[in-house]
Amino acid sequence: MAKLTIDGIEVEVPNGSSVIQAAEAAGIEIPRFCYHERLSVAGNCRMCLVEIEKMPPKPVASCGMPVADGMVVHTDTEMVRKGRRGVMEFLLINHPLDCPICDQGGECDLQDEAVSYGRDASRYAEQKRAVSQPDWGPLVKTTMTRCIHCTRCVRFTTEVAGVAEIGGTYRGENTQISTYVEKALSSELSGNIIDLCPVGALTSKPYAFTARPWELRKTDSVDVLDALGTNIRVDARGAEVLRILPRLNDEVNEEWLGDKSRFAVDGLKRRRLDRPWLRENGKLRAASWEEAFAAIASRIKAAAPEKIGAIAGDLCDAESMLALKECLTALGSANLDCRQDGAVFDASRRAFYLFNTTIAGIEEADALLIIGGNPRHEAPVLNARIRKRWLAGGFAAGLVGEAGELTYPVERLGAGPEALRALADGTHPFAEVLKAAQRPMIILGAAALARPDGAALHAAAWKLAAQYNALRADWHGFNVLHHAAARVGGLDLGFLPGAGGKSTTAMLNGGVDVLWLLGADELDIKAIGANTFVIYQGHHGDAGAARADVILPGAAYTEKHGTYVNTEGRVQQGFAAVLPPGDAREDWTIIRALSAYLGHALPYDTLEQLRTHLAASYPVFGQPFARLAGNDATAPAGDGAALAAAPLKPVYANYYQTDVISRASPTMAACVAAHSPAQAEAAE
Amino acid sequence: MNTQPEPQSFAFDEIAEPLVAAAIGKYPAGKQMSAVKTLLDIAQRQMGRTTGSAWLPRAAMDSVAKRLGVPPIRVYEIATFYTMFNTKPVGKYHLQVCTTTPCWLRGSDDIVAACKHATGIEHFGASSADGVFTLTEVECLGACVNAPILQVNDDYYEDLDAARTEALLQDLKAGKPQPPAGSLGGRASSAPASGQTTLLPASGSAE
């Protein structure tokens, strides 16, 4: 630790910190453009100048200056102010004065600092430089004339995203931040460079010229387009969600957000279900809530309880799943499943289906075995965390399955489960890596669980974790990487077949007479029995709604207060940013109303009552997040030897369109067209 | 203008290959990136040797990146930064006129004019119609003592004036080989232009 004085405030920071970090610890803000806590230090904007006593009498860039014991720093002297004013003047020489038409206006670091350090008039009478605008794909809009060459985007793509595509080309006044060979950025995290850009050089293409930041109503929420539970801020104006930005949470997403989660917002305005629909003579017609409820009630009353079933989809909040579960239980049915992918595995203990190491815990691991997943597509922010761990050194990763390119080197151990056998009996060379590791971790992709031999893979992966000492009191190295935001919540509250109940597969093919799909679209819709009466409750007119006999319009995640449990078992709540469109309602209220209509009124009338009930029935929803210890090594049920030979395929062939919201989004469609033209053609 | 098309592929030839191996071999494993400028130079010279235009097409930069195991953008950054790497085709003779102060004081404006006159090039950065010459303005070449300087490919021609420049370029245009590098004013090395003034044979000595 080093003790130093900054503007008279004494502060103690770890050795190796920079002066700017020490100032932050002392609560003093130093202006900066190129410095960013999560990126390497470039030291090229020179805005963070400070004066340090007993140093050569010139300003020092505080971002690159390591602290020393006894240092006395001044951040607001005449020399510092003059230095910063000079830097500002140089930066503004070539920066256009186009703030009125710049999308960064109102949230621009350069604009803000110009208030403190800018001159009132320019002394520069020459021509400003102009730079051409390269096309970086459908997400990031470039106006490189505004670029001040801070290189944050270069460092982010190289270091965090692991896709080195942007660089600083040419030199001096001709410097350009560019890809040199014009192309769309191929990272799933590319949207973050928009947040990082301190000026208006990189802005959001779909959001261009849409709104000013001060017009927006900001609501904290949780992302549901992957299972990471990324903390987000929903910016809305009126009834419209305009954009989604990440919030800071070091435990989950640091400050990053995947492109799908950020840019699929325009899907929230399209193909929406805004009123109930009823199928009559094979055709859907608009109906009233009363008519829809009457149709449902007549069918449910006519059906035997064991012929009623419900499947919850990937985007559901815990409240609506609990309400639906209790509604079906009241009707006497145990046919429930939150695993619309048809997975059947032992979910009797939380440790069997959580990402037990935790996302932040990845940074403590020293070896990684990925079985049948593609973290880059299923959870890009988590993948960035793995890359961060790899960059720190002393980390080896192996992959069983057919995942595409990841952003860190992985040893490909084989496409099929035979590699697991070789690892289990120690004949595979990678077994030595796992054996030598102090904190090995195994990530089992949720797609593997949906295979016919899912339970066997589940048991085999667990046994590998036990065998390689990944299950200890101080370390839990067994992880399931889910890709559905609703999955862990559903498993936690037991949205699973009860005693004698049917699973997803059993409910299809006429297994039930009445099937309630709660936002379930990614199942084999064609396999639903021809005579099954389908209730689709959800927010988008997608596969489920097309098959439905009654459609109940629900709310999307930005339109309801919801509780979600992420893949590591973290319970988080999001708030409603806007109202659901038209006649649509928050999902739990629909179920509550229908339960009363059916004569089994659920015992809660407000969200608070429902949440109290939820926490009382399932204590994990009321407890603070804690890592599980791995001391109970009892394996999940499943014959670890009954593995099929088929290769382990990742769940998504296409990162950009995976759920009803992203499929409805024109921006995501443009991404598909830019990155995999073959897929875009096939979709047409 | 030289309108050489962008080649689709590039591979180091048998002359370049041993040089590439030697350059990479100078650095410890994992630090091959240190050889990037050497490899770019080898590639540019190979282009000059095989196509008559010493430049770096994208394919050549990509092949350097591949050889070094780095993302191509890291190579583009370096190739575009250094003025001695040509990312556009150049003529057989790349004329680089120094116009920094010492050369300028010694008449580099005349040299520029002579270059333009002899080659028909209208402005810096352009190539002659026959594709033989490309004219570039460069900063100090570090030979101020013999200013003004014109660099033709790898060679410096010093003590120039308009007439000498014109004659040199006409010879090159006519296909004559490049004269030996150095002063075209007849002085040895950087000795005084008016002849030796020191270390003369002893005279008037006691003998």
Side-chain angles (χ1 to χ4, degrees):
Chain A
M1 298 295 272
K3 207 177 255 180
L4 63 164
T5 313
I6 305 180
D7 290 350
I9 302 171
E10 206 161 86
V11 60
E12 210 174 331
V13 291
N15 289 327
S17 307
S18 57
V19 172
I20 202 170
Q21 287 170 324
E24 211 118 285
I28 297 161
E29 199 181 313
I30 294 180
R32 84 286 303 268
F33 297 118
C34 73
Y35 174 77
H36 192 276
E37 305 87 296
R38 296 181 206 279
L39 303 175
S40 62
V41 174
N44 53 9
C45 77
R46 314 313 285 181
M47 194 63 194
C48 64
L49 298 174
V50 296
E51 188 177 348
I52 301 176
E53 283 183 15
K54 300 195 181 96
M55 293 268 292
K58 58 177 185 178
V60 179
S62 60
C63 66
M65 187 71 196
V67 294
D69 217 22
M71 221 176 218
V72 181
V73 182
H74 300 284
T75 71
D76 197 25
T77 62
E78 191 45 45
M79 187 219 273
V80 168
R81 279 196 295 271
K82 204 171 165 194
R84 289 182 189 165
R85 277 200 290 267
V87 168
M88 196 73 195
E89 191 174 4
F90 273 114
L91 287 176
L92 291 177
I93 279 181
N94 276 319
H95 191 83
L97 288 176
D98 61 350
C99 301
I101 55 146
C102 173
D103 262 321
Q104 192 83 353
E107 48 188 3
C108 173
D109 291 355
L110 194 65
Q111 210 176 30
D112 294 347
E113 296 305 340
V115 174
S116 314
Y117 298 103
R119 292 173 59 91
D120 56 350
S122 178
R123 290 191 284 179
Y124 185 75
E126 266 71 12
Q127 289 281 326
K128 287 182 184 245
R129 91 193 184 123
V131 183
S132 60
Q133 303 186 13
D135 183 359
W136 285 4
L139 302 178
V140 181
K141 182 183 166 192
T142 60
T143 314
M144 299 320 269
T145 306
R146 297 177 188 143
C147 178
I148 59 168
H149 307 146
C150 72
T151 70
R152 276 187 188 178
C153 55
V154 176
R155 284 174 284 146
F156 175 83
T157 48
T158 308
E159 293 163 16
V160 180
V163 182
E165 287 175 348
I166 312 179
T169 53
Y170 303 95
R171 70 195 301 193
E173 205 197 21
N174 300 316
T175 305
Q176 285 182 31
I177 300 297
S178 76
T179 51
Y180 190 68
V181 180
E182 194 166 290
K183 62 172 178 177
L185 302 179
S186 69
S187 169
E188 294 76 24
L189 293 168
S190 64
N192 293 297
I193 61 177
I194 298 167
D195 295 343
L196 288 170
C197 185
V199 297
L202 305 179
T203 50
S204 168
K205 203 174 253 181
Y207 175 73
F209 309 125
T210 303
R212 285 297 188 192
W214 57 82
E215 301 173 307
L216 301 171
R217 200 168 61 246
K218 300 161 180 77
T219 314
D220 288 353
S221 187
V222 180
D223 173 51
V224 299
L225 301 190
D226 61 36
L228 212 58
T230 302
N231 292 202
I232 53 169
R233 192 185 89 193
V234 181
D235 284 3
R237 184 177 58 188
E240 217 181 339
V241 174
L242 294 180
R243 64 172 180 179
I244 288 180
L245 298 177
R247 270 187 298 138
L248 212 69
N249 189 335
D250 277 328
E251 300 275 288
V252 182
N253 56 308
E254 301 182 276
E255 55 185 280
W256 316 130
L257 180 61
D259 284 352
K260 180 172 49 183
S261 307
R262 182 190 297 263
F263 291 107
V265 277
D266 50 359
L268 290 168
K269 288 181 285 190
R270 289 172 174 79
R271 299 197 211 156
R272 287 305 300 268
L273 301 171
D274 57 358
R275 59 193 306 175
W277 295 79
L278 197 57
R279 191 175 294 276
E280 272 182 3
N281 307 323
K283 273 197 161 165
L284 284 169
R285 70 158 174 92
S288 67
W289 280 105
E290 182 67 29
E291 286 173 306
F293 278 12
I296 294 170
S298 73
R299 288 302 294 248
I300 283 186
K301 282 180 182 146
E306 68 276 8
K307 294 291 256 181
I308 303 170
I311 298 173
D314 289 352
L315 311 178
C316 304
D317 53 311
E319 288 86 350
S320 60
M321 283 190 283
L322 178 73
L324 184 54
K325 179 186 175 183
E326 297 195 327
C327 180
L328 255 77
T329 310
L331 292 170
S333 167
N335 302 329
L336 294 161
D337 209 333
C338 63
R339 300 166 300 192
Q340 59 168 343
D341 52 7
V344 176
F345 56 90
D346 184 355
S348 57
R349 274 171 52 207
R350 276 194 109 203
F352 290 162
Y353 58 81
L354 290 188
F355 198 92
N356 295 298
T357 303
T358 72
I359 297 164
I362 292 172
E363 292 181 33
E364 298 162 27
D366 53 3
L368 167 66
L369 173 64
I370 301 171
I371 304 172
N374 181 352
R376 182 169 173 183
H377 285 173
E378 289 157 30
V381 175
L382 181 138
N383 192 57
R385 193 74 86 130
I386 301 176
R387 178 175 162 81
K388 184 181 179 189
R389 174 64 195 87
W390 172 73
L391 281 175
F395 179 78
L399 171 83
V400 178
E402 289 191 330
E405 210 173 306
L406 297 171
T407 57
Y408 37 87
V410 284
E411 196 178 320
R412 309 233 162 209
L413 311 178
E418 74 282 358
L420 295 184
R421 283 204 200 94
L423 284 167
D425 53 31
T427 55
H428 200 288
F430 196 75
E432 296 304 316
V433 176
L434 290 173
K435 211 175 285 174
Q438 297 299 309
R439 289 165 173 263
M441 60 183 287
I442 291 177
I443 295 180
L444 179 63
L449 294 173
R451 285 161 52 106
D453 61 343
L457 277 164
H458 193 212
W462 180 277
K463 281 177 188 148
L464 271 181
Q467 182 183 343
Y468 288 106
N469 201 23
L471 304 178
R472 307 195 301 257
D474 63 331
W475 179 251
H476 204 315
F478 178 81
N479 302 288
V480 177
L481 178 58
H482 291 278
H483 47 81
R487 194 71 83 248
V488 175
L491 294 169
D492 274 349
L493 55 80
F495 203 97
L496 293 166
K502 292 175 176 143
S503 69
T504 297
T505 328
M507 279 186 260
L508 301 177
N509 297 311
V512 289
D513 292 340
V514 178
L515 180 59
W516 192 323
L517 298 178
L518 181 62
D521 292 87
E522 281 81 30
L523 40 76
D524 188 1
I525 296 291
K526 288 195 190 76
I528 298 175
N531 295 320
T532 305
F533 181 79
V534 177
I535 305 161
Y536 181 81
Q537 179 181 348
H539 41 81
H540 274 77
D542 205 274
R547 169 62 184 83
D549 294 293
V550 177
I551 294 173
L552 304 177
Y557 70 111
T558 49
E559 294 148 11
K560 60 185 168 191
H561 301 294
T563 303
Y564 303 93
V565 190
N566 81 350
T567 188
E568 50 175 356
R570 185 184 301 273
V571 180
Q572 303 185 106
Q573 281 178 358
F575 297 96
V578 293
L579 291 172
D583 281 342
R585 294 288 179 271
E586 289 200 29
D587 291 271
W588 78 269
T589 61
I590 298 172
I591 300 162
R592 167 67 183 77
L594 186 54
S595 71
Y597 199 90
L598 295 170
H600 297 283
L602 293 170
Y604 22 80
D605 297 327
T606 64
L607 188 65
E608 286 64 40
Q609 287 172 5
L610 170 52
R611 285 190 173 158
T612 313
H613 178 65
L614 177 65
S617 317
Y618 303 98
V620 287
F621 286 94
Q623 287 160 356
F625 177 71
R627 273 199 210 189
L628 296 179
N631 26 16
D632 185 355
T634 324
D639 180 4
L643 299 171
L648 288 151
K649 293 199 184 307
V651 59
Y652 302 138
N654 163 9
Y655 163 71
Y656 294 101
Q657 292 177 322
T658 57
D659 50 75
V660 291
I661 299 173
S662 53
R663 277 195 295 268
S665 157
T667 308
M668 291 295 103
C671 284
V672 175
H675 293 292
S676 40
Q679 266 171 3
E681 263 171 46
E684 272 165 17
Chain B
M1 275 301 289
N2 194 325
T3 50
Q4 190 170 30
E6 176 96 27
Q8 292 307 303
S9 65
F10 176 90
F12 288 110
D13 61 15
E14 68 283 0
I15 302 173
E17 214 33 85
L19 301 172
V20 168
I24 295 176
K26 282 183 192 166
Y27 303 99
K31 305 284 180 196
Q32 300 88 333
M33 179 63 180
S34 304
V36 63
K37 283 195 282 175
T38 317
L39 259 60
L40 285 171
D41 185 55
I42 295 168
Q44 180 163 300
R45 284 173 193 280
Q46 179 181 324
M47 283 300 289
R49 200 169 57 235
T50 55
T51 69
S53 174
W55 71 296
L56 286 169
R58 200 185 123 197
M61 293 190 265
D62 287 347
S63 115
V64 168
K66 202 166 175 197
R67 181 61 72 92
L68 298 173
V70 297
I73 184 71
R74 295 283 95 85
V75 175
Y76 304 153
E77 282 179 319
I78 288 163
T80 54
F81 182 87
Y82 291 101
T83 52
M84 287 168 75
F85 294 127
N86 303 311
T87 50
K88 291 202 178 79
V90 294
K92 182 182 174 198
Y93 295 109
H94 187 194
L95 312 178
Q96 302 177 61
V97 197
C98 172
T99 56
T100 310
T101 316
C103 279
W104 176 66
L105 288 169
R106 298 279 296 147
S108 66
D109 286 351
D110 296 342
I111 313 300
V112 172
C115 285
K116 287 182 177 170
H117 181 255
T119 60
I121 296 172
E122 283 174 6
H123 57 86
F124 288 124
S127 300
S128 59
D130 54 8
V132 174
F133 297 103
T134 298
L135 181 65
T136 310
E137 181 181 36
V138 294
E139 301 304 328
C140 186
L141 291 171
C144 318
V145 69
N146 288 6
I149 315 290
L150 170 65
Q151 185 184 350
V152 179
N153 292 348
D154 286 340
D155 293 332
Y156 279 16
Y157 294 98
E158 302 154 6
D159 293 326
L160 292 175
D161 56 26
R164 286 171 187 162
T165 310
E166 187 99 14
L168 170 69
L169 297 183
Q170 292 304 348
D171 283 357
L172 294 177
K173 207 186 215 173
K176 292 187 189 164
Q178 266 184 261
S183 171
L184 295 189
R187 79 166 114 174
S189 189
S190 297
S194 52
Q196 228 166 329
T197 58
T198 55
L199 299 178
L200 296 166
S203 59
S205 65
E207 273 177 356

